[in-house]
């Protein structure tokens, strides 16, 4: 396997791990938003909502990077295939 492909695979795995962590953070932050909404604590609701929005934005950015790296990995795999395939 070529070195570029190994790097791409490692990067995709690393980004996937990061996304899993963000998914947990988003779920937890969503629960906080719901809790503050229920308590009608608007100051902390705003703080928690902003943090949730930040997590969601980071998730989208990381997902785009992961998708691009996955495309590169697919290209590298295709490039290494014998022409008979």
């Amino acid at each position: 396997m070529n070195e570029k492909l190994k790097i791409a695979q490692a990067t995709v795995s690393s980004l996937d791990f990061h996304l899993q962590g963000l998914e947990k953070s988003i779920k937890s932050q969503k629960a906080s938003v719901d809790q503050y909404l229920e308590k009608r604590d608007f100051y902390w609701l705003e703080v928690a909502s902003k943090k949730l929005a930040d997590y969601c934005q980071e998730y989208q950015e990381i997902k785009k990077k992961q998708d691009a790296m996955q495309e590169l990995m697919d290209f590298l795999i295709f490039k290494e295939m014998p022409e008979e395939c």
Side-chain angles (χ1 to χ4, degrees):
M1 188 180 325
N2 105 21
E3 192 64 30
K4 290 178 185 177
L5 183 56
K6 288 180 185 178
I7 292 169
Q9 285 177 325
T11 303
V12 168
S13 294
S14 175
L15 291 172
D16 188 52
F17 182 76
H18 190 73
L19 286 173
Q20 289 174 10
L22 280 171
E23 287 171 357
K24 291 176 184 175
S25 295
I26 288 169
K27 186 180 281 188
S28 173
Q29 200 62 33
K30 174 82 171 79
S32 294
V33 166
D34 291 343
Q35 177 185 9
Y36 293 129
L37 183 59
E38 185 176 307
K39 290 180 177 180
R40 301 179 67 80
D41 186 340
F42 297 112
Y43 173 78
W44 288 110
L45 175 62
E46 183 178 347
V47 171
S49 295
K50 171 71 172 118
K51 192 165 191 166
L52 178 59
D54 291 345
Y55 283 147
C56 290
Q57 182 178 356
E58 183 179 0
Y59 182 90
Q60 290 172 344
E61 290 169 2
I62 298 295
K63 185 67 176 147
K64 284 180 188 176
K65 289 177 185 178
Q66 185 190 39
D67 290 345
M69 191 57 67
Q70 183 67 49
E71 283 183 35
L72 174 62
M73 195 171 76
D74 292 345
F75 171 76
L76 292 172
I77 290 170
F78 179 75
K79 186 177 159 186
E80 287 191 2
M81 286 180 135
E83 289 189 26
E84 296 83 33
C85 294

